[in-house]
């Protein structure tokens, strides 16, 4: 099977966008990374540059300039890897990729919020003072502060008007994405990985930081 045929098979393995519960809708977000895009040329990165964006210096402990670049690189690499291995048919892998991509698009982690039990929601809202962290009105729900972790320390109490998290495939998020989705699509579609960090088989971050080519 050639690479494009593998991508078409991956599309068929994903649940329909408009059907299913929160988990299924989250899994279907991966479709956004599989829209056909013409892979563009990307300048070579030196070890002093972020392996993903090629602009900011990455520091001494990571090849990426920040969490966002690390996450985007992970989405591209893991999507390519799941297509190659056939793991894209696994609903849990689909959901994991979909949630990460949706977060990068600016929609937060909507499925994770549905997993907070009612007793936990009430307790956490009480711990947060019961008011929206942004406007001071009564808080009714949450946003995640950093990761998808549902521990109270990672949850921000908010009202519905101030909530950033949006349901999967929400038009506001798709109309104004915080991520260059076309570049992600081009990197996923490329027959040969455009960046070392896009290659699920050969990416070696230690070698990258040492100035070698993985």
């Amino acid at each position: 099977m050639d690479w494009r045929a593998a991508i078409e098979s991956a599309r068929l393995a994903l649940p329909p966008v408009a059907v299913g519960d929160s988990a299924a809708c989250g899994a279907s977000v991966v479709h956004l990374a599989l829209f056909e895009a013409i892979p563009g040329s990307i300048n070579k990165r030196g070890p002093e540059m972020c392996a993903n964006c090629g602009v900011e210096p990455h520091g001494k402990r990571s090849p990426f300039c920040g969490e966002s670049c690390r996450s985007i690189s992970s989405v591209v690499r893991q999507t390519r890897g799941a297509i190659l291995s056939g793991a894209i048919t696994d609903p849990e892998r689909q959901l994991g990729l979909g949630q990460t991509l949706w977060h990068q698009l600016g929609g937060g982690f909507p499925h994770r919020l549905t997993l907070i039990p009612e007793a936990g929601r009430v307790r956490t809202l009480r711990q947060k003072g019961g008011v929206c962290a942004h406007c001071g009105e009564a808080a009714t729900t949450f946003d995640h502060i950093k990761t998808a972790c549902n521990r109270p320390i990672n949850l921000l109490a908010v009202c519905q008007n101030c909530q950033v998290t949006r349901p999967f495939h929400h038009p506001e998020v798709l109309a104004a994405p915080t991520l260059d989705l076309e570049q992600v699509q081009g990197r996923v579609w490329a027959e040969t990985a455009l960046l070392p960090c896009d290659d699920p088989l050969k990416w070696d971050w230690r070698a990258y930081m040492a100035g070698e080519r993985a």
Side-chain angles (χ1 to χ4, degrees):
M1 182 183 295
D2 63 25
W3 178 243
R4 293 207 171 197
I7 289 180
E8 291 304 325
S9 295
R11 284 173 165 168
L12 294 175
L14 294 165
V17 169
V19 178
D21 59 13
S22 179
C25 288
S28 68
V29 169
V30 187
H31 273 295
L32 297 175
L34 299 181
F35 286 178
E36 184 170 2
I38 299 174
S41 60
I42 295 181
N43 294 332
K44 292 183 178 180
R45 277 92 163 100
E48 75 285 356
M49 302 175 181
C50 171
N52 182 74
C53 70
V55 177
E56 299 291 339
H58 58 63
K60 297 182 179 180
R61 295 187 176 182
S62 170
F64 303 107
C65 62
E67 176 60 27
S68 179
C69 274
R70 186 204 66 78
S71 186
I72 292 168
S73 167
S74 179
V75 167
V76 173
R77 185 171 60 257
Q78 291 188 36
T79 300
R80 290 178 62 86
I83 292 170
L84 281 170
S85 68
I88 198 72
T89 61
D90 180 357
E92 289 190 8
R93 178 66 67 87
Q94 295 169 4
L95 177 57
L97 291 170
Q99 284 194 120
T100 303
L101 179 57
W102 190 246
H103 174 66
Q104 289 301 317
L105 287 169
F109 299 103
H111 179 65
R112 289 293 299 166
L113 290 182
T114 69
L115 301 182
I116 305 174
E118 184 58 29
R121 295 174 66 89
V122 172
R123 182 171 61 255
T124 303
L125 284 173
R126 185 170 60 247
Q127 292 175 355
K128 301 290 184 179
V131 297
C132 176
H134 300 299
C135 70
E137 295 294 325
T140 57
T141 186
F142 304 98
D143 279 326
H144 289 91
I145 297 174
K146 292 183 179 181
T147 67
C149 173
N150 278 339
R151 294 177 59 192
I153 195 173
N154 190 52
L155 294 174
L156 194 68
V158 294
C159 66
Q160 293 290 343
N161 289 332
C162 293
Q163 187 180 31
V164 173
T165 303
R166 292 287 185 269
F168 292 118
H169 301 287
H170 194 286
E172 289 181 6
V173 177
L174 297 177
T178 58
L179 170 68
D180 186 345
L181 188 56
E182 186 173 339
Q183 185 190 95
V184 170
Q185 291 164 351
R187 286 165 63 180
V188 169
W189 263 82
E191 187 168 352
T192 301
L194 296 181
L195 293 173
C197 62
D198 293 346
D199 194 324
L201 302 177
K202 297 181 179 180
W203 169 237
D204 184 336
W205 66 270
R206 291 183 178 86
Y208 178 87
M209 294 183 69
E212 302 169 4
R213 277 295 166 220

